[in-house]
Amino acid sequence: MEKVDYIIVGSGLAGILFCEVLKLHNKSFVVFENESQHSSTVGGGLYNPVVLKRFTTIWKAKEQLDLALPIYHKLEQSLNTKLDYKIPVYRLFASVEEQNNWFEACNKPNLSQFLSTEIIYPTNTTIKSNCGFGKVLGTGRIDTATLIRSYREHLENNKQIIKETFVYSEITFTISKIIYNEYEALHIVFAEGFGLTKNPFFNYLPLRPTKGELLTIHAPDLKIDFVLKSSVFLIPLGNDLYRVGATYDWDDTSPNITVKARDELLIKLDKFLKCDYSVVDQVAGIRPTVKDRRPLVGQHQHHKNMYILNGLGTRGVMIGPYVAKQLFNFVEGRKPLETEININRFN
Ligand SMILES: Cc1cc2nc3c(=O)[nH]c(=O)nc-3n(C[C@H](O)[C@H](O)[C@H](O)COP(=O)(O)OP(=O)(O)OC[C@H]3O[C@@H](n4cnc5c(N)ncnc54)[C@H](O)[C@@H]3O)c2cc1C
């Protein structure tokens, strides 16, 4: 029997960010991963503190960014891979009214630090932009696909990942420990994203899956070095490739790409893009979203060494490090979880 401090189920953003906190505190762990979910590997990876539809900040934007960016920087060093691409986000204004709303938002105390007051009129003729763009500050993109792939390789090298489906019915509980296969653990943390729906210990929680699809296009004449936000995001990836997305579908929970999503994205894209392009890829994933737009973090009601880290929603890059740290402090330091994220709000 191998003794570990933690068993972690899932190595998407939630799982690996929790592993990072464990490493920092010299805790031993083993991860189970069955590659059934792909939200973290297909996601756009953007970090952006502003909700660009309504011009509001996201919950705890500054706290999340201040914590997250040094962690991704540290991961870049330990994995020896570039992950954080600092890139501005430009919000395309569809009307003068939107411009006015932007200026109003610039004056709000919590937003002013993230919004530039200068309206940008691009010289680039490949984008329809009569009313120009507003620039969001402090934004960027984490290459989450590379992060997840490199992190799993790193775990594999250290014999810390088991590429198998975790079978919930095979857990044995002793007074203070959890036995699973050949592992004896002090704690278990479930971080399965949408896979939570199969977890009998926590699937009473109101996870509301939101499927998202993204296209990759090749557009040699586009030549933009900023993320463009119109009705969809256009994210430069280098080599004239751009990611276009994403869709939001609350009914379809299949992992497959669809013609419907491709058509929807292309219709939206063609409203503002005026150059030739070809579609070279399409991906789909299920975002683990929650009705009240807050994560699902906490402890099982009866099994006190069983925990959940889920519900990262549409913004896992920013909120993941924040909630991973909170869960660790709760388990090891008995520090109470913030009420907004604690699953006991659903008891
Ligand atoms: C199209 C799209 C675009 C997005 N764009 C952005 C963006 O620009 N910025 C941003 O911040 N966020 C974005 N997101 C959201 C972000 O990707 C999610 O918040 C995040 O990936 C959730 O991570 P997770 O680890 O909770 O879930 P997941 O990534 O789903 O990871 C869960 C893992 O658990 C594994 N698993 C599940 N069940 C089991 C089991 N029984 N045994 C073993 N393993 C199991 C799965 O295989 C998976 O690897 C986007 C998501 C999508 C789909």
Side-chain angles (χ1 to χ4, degrees), residues 9-14 32-37 39-40 43-46 152 164-166 168 191-193 212 214 246 285 287-288 312-317:
V9 183
S11 63
L13 276 174
F32 285 81
E33 172 57 56
N34 68 355
E35 300 195 11
S36 58
Q37 296 299 323
S39 182
S40 300
L46 288 180
R152 286 180 187 166
E164 281 174 15
T165 297
F166 185 89
Y168 304 96
E192 312 105 314
L214 288 155
R287 305 174 185 90
L312 302 195
T314 57
R315 294 177 184 262
V317 167

Side-chain angles (χ1 to χ4, degrees), residues 19-20 23 39 58 83 93 151 171 182 237 246 273 279 331:
C19 290
E20 271 307 280
K23 271 173 63 188
S39 182
I58 64 165
L83 300 172
F93 298 129
Y151 206 89
I171 296 181
E182 71 268 35
L237 301 175
L273 195 65
V279 177
V331 179

Side-chain angles (χ1 to χ4, degrees), residues 92-111:
L92 192 146
F93 298 129
S95 61
V96 176
E97 196 191 343
E98 276 195 354
Q99 270 188 359
N100 291 337
N101 293 343
W102 178 273
F103 282 122
E104 246 174 58
C106 287
N107 287 326
K108 292 185 186 157
N110 54 345
L111 271 166

Side-chain angles (χ1 to χ4, degrees), residues 37-39 42 193-194 209-212 252-255 284-289:
Q37 296 299 323
H38 306 283
S39 182
V42 306
F194 177 55
T210 311
K211 180 169 175 177
D252 177 7
T253 52
S254 79
I286 315 277
R287 305 174 185 90
T289 46

Side-chain angles (χ1 to χ4, degrees), residues 37 51 67 78 81 103 138-139 155 169 201 207 255 276 281 306 322 332 336:
Q37 296 299 323
V51 182
L67 186 76
S78 63
T81 314
F103 282 122
T139 57
L155 292 177
S169 57
F201 301 103
L207 194 77
D276 290 339
D281 195 19
M306 186 177 263
Y322 187 79
E332 298 286 344

Side-chain angles (χ1 to χ4, degrees), residues 245-262:
T247 56
Y248 292 80
D249 189 328
W250 294 272
D251 301 317
D252 177 7
T253 52
S254 79
N256 312 326
I257 56 169
T258 62
V259 174
K260 183 176 154 226
R262 179 189 158 111

